[in-house]
Amino acid sequence: MGSLISSLRDAYFGIKAVVQTLAEDYADLNALQARLNSNPGIPVSNPTTSFWLQNPPFPDLVDKRSKTLPESADILIIGSGITGASIARTILSECASMGVKKRVIMLEAREVCSGATGRNGGHIKCTPHESYCEYKERFGAERAKVLVKFQTSHLPIMVDLAKQEGWDLAEAREVETLDVFYDEKVWEENKKMVEVFRREMPEAAKDTYIWERKEAREKYKLGEHAFGAITYQAGAIWPYRLVAYVLDSLLRTYASDFSLETHTSVESISTVNNLSQPFIVHTSRGDIHSSHVIHATNAHTATLVPGIRGKLFPVRGTMTAQRPGKMFPELDGSRSWCLINNEGYEYVTQRPGKIDSLNGMGGEIMIGGGMVQAGRKGFGELGIASDAETNYLIGCHLGGVLPMAFGLENWGNDAPGGRMKNMWSGSLALTADMMPFVGRLEPSLTGRAYEKATLAKDTAKPISPPGEWISAGYNGEGMVNAWLCGIALGLMVLGRGDTVAEKTLGRPQGKLEEWFPREYLCTQERVTNASVFKLLETR
């Protein structure tokens, strides 16, 4: 979903242009700047109801927690979404393979996986031709290839993991995806990017096709306003259920080493003079002493890491589940779409099955986006971490865009029961340089100094010295970043980055540096230099 980066940058971050044209009220601009630099807080207790969280495959997991909060941990993970699940799986499986026991505790402020992972669009998709051209401009061709390969590798890894484990309810699948263009200028620009991508990454581009207006409309049943489409392979998934499968498996396999503590919000973190466990995590249920603290809370990360405020911040998005019209093709979940305009776009998947065929569910079109429709150029959604409300104007847009995009003749009358089944919100996280933050957090970013231990090279303790860590800020592309970022961080915490690993289920082979992009590493220097304005100047 590389279009999200361009859309947000152009629509949200064009502050200079806004000021120059005097089209934006200074009061709104000041309010925006204040929100971006503010404390996002802990997740609200009254979120909107996400479609993905309904009918959980493991009901006992939803509110899972110990009768008594554990007092200590070797590794404490804050956040129970896809990042946290990937980190926990990596650490626990690595320790098991080495015959080492480490106590891992996962904290969640609300129900399990009730944040962004349980609220997103269900895509496993980047826009490789657009991503390649953007990364090439910023980092050069060779690094652009590394970044694109990292993102696109999520699809086979995640689909194979779900298939081999028998996690059918996660609905992890490959799909044919369409980028459909409703603006001629953007259409022509994207065709040029495809040609560059084909020329410089031919193997990755072998399934990328351009469909001009007439053939695109006929072949893919698009409306009259479409200028054309670009197709390639992508994926779709029920994100919450993938995480539920992972966490259920970990709780059963590592019962004595892993615990999940829902409805346990982290209120603050302090340090003590203890070389082995320098951190005290203060929660709503009591304190936990830990050697390592991992921040996997994405939009809420700056709550506990004040040094990244203004450099990583939330943006509220809106999602819907809708019934397709009576004339809409029966695709059984085999296709996804992005509906791209001159400003912004909508992202769309469709679940497998026939409409409402199984327990009132099936065949839903999952569509989100439309942030530029929110009024005031969408600025109002930036810096908003609360998922307790939806935006009225975005809801109006999402509720009406599908028949126009696909054409009234291809949509037909609405299905029995009406079009809209569910609407909810969720907050994703953006970074000021549009790249995730992954790695060890320096005390200058957390504001928490502690005496650093130097551990002896002891095979009984294959773990890095105590510290705080982060994996967050996926810029709307979490499903093609979070899983492998979680694996990478888990290996960093264990001091296993230089280990040459065989390819195993759910993770790549080789040393960390061979597949993980160094551009993602979180350093004080990178955070300091991350600037929306600098990013604009590179365009």
Side-chain angles (χ1 to χ4, degrees), residues 5 31 81 85 114 118 122 131 164 219 232 234 292 330-331 379 387 420 440 444 508 512:
I5 295 176
S114 57
S131 296
Q164 296 300 323
K219 180 176 177 64
Y232 45 99
H292 295 265
E330 293 188 6
L331 300 168
F379 279 97
D387 48 18
M420 188 68 67
R440 183 185 287 270
S444 55
L512 186 61

Side-chain angles (χ1 to χ4, degrees), residues 263-316:
H263 302 285
T264 306
S265 57
V266 178
E267 298 170 346
S268 64
I269 301 171
S270 62
T271 58
V272 292
N273 187 21
N274 185 320
L275 288 177
S276 62
Q277 287 192 326
F279 301 104
I280 305 177
V281 177
H282 307 281
T283 82
S284 56
R285 295 171 58 211
D287 294 348
I288 304 175
H289 294 253
S290 186
S291 301
H292 295 265
V293 176
I294 298 175
H295 299 268
T297 54
N298 212 32
H300 296 272
T301 307
T303 302
L304 298 170
V305 187
I308 62 171
R309 291 176 191 169
K311 304 303 178 95
L312 183 153
F313 43 84
V315 177
R316 183 174 59 191

